[in-house]
Amino acid sequence: IKWVVDGWKTHLAPAYALCVFIPLIDLDDETGYTQFWPGSHQSRGLAGFGPVAQITESTWNGKCNAGDAIWYDYRTMHRGMQNCKKLRPVLQILFKRKWYAETRNYGTVGITEAKRDTLSECSQNNATGAA
């Protein structure tokens, strides 16, 4: 599962956005959750080295109850852990500086269409034994 950084990816920038997400269901191994690499926002040189976080056991698993809130600096490396069992509805809010415009992460496909495509891919992977 690929590690990502939201927002700017090519240079270290001062803090410009915080993201909060609030799951509408419990997030656990069955539903999937977001895994974070705390502190990774402090060095752009870590981009592409997400697997190091696992090897050094420096990840934090965002397993939580419905209604809990998880805040993170928008530059923090993170990844969504796989879920093929059911939808994972999450309310996500971005608090940003006035000059920052988010244009890369949310696309133009409606949520129901995107989730249907994702679950379809998971079903195909499970049928073929692919990860």
Side-chain angles (χ1 to χ4, degrees):
I1 300 170
K2 184 178 178 181
W3 288 88
V4 297
V5 177
D6 292 327
W8 292 339
K9 296 169 177 45
T10 58
H11 62 281
L12 187 60
Y16 57 90
L18 292 173
C19 186
V20 62
F21 66 83
I22 303 167
L24 304 180
I25 62 171
D26 293 347
L27 299 182
D28 53 30
D29 290 325
E30 182 178 327
T31 61
Y33 52 89
T34 300
Q35 187 175 62
F36 297 90
W37 186 357
S40 62
H41 66 287
Q42 298 173 354
S43 173
R44 72 170 180 202
L46 294 176
F49 288 94
V52 171
Q54 290 174 269
I55 294 168
T56 60
E57 297 180 356
S58 54
T59 59
W60 181 79
N61 295 331
K63 297 177 184 179
C64 60
N65 297 319
D68 287 348
I70 298 177
W71 291 82
Y72 65 95
D73 186 300
Y74 212 49
R75 303 165 296 165
T76 301
M77 291 181 68
H78 60 281
R79 64 185 183 162
M81 303 308 283
Q82 186 170 355
N83 93 11
C84 288
K85 303 236 181 226
K86 58 183 174 179
L87 295 176
R88 181 171 54 200
V90 175
L91 173 63
Q92 188 168 351
I93 305 165
L94 183 64
F95 296 90
K96 63 180 190 62
R97 295 186 182 260
K98 288 182 181 182
W99 51 263
Y100 180 71
E102 175 53 65
T103 59
R104 295 182 183 193
N105 291 303
Y106 302 106
T108 59
V109 177
I111 190 168
T112 54
E113 184 178 341
K115 289 297 180 186
R116 185 173 42 248
D117 291 345
T118 300
L119 289 175
S120 175
E121 288 174 18
C122 287
S123 296
Q124 290 172 2
N125 287 343
N126 286 340
T128 63

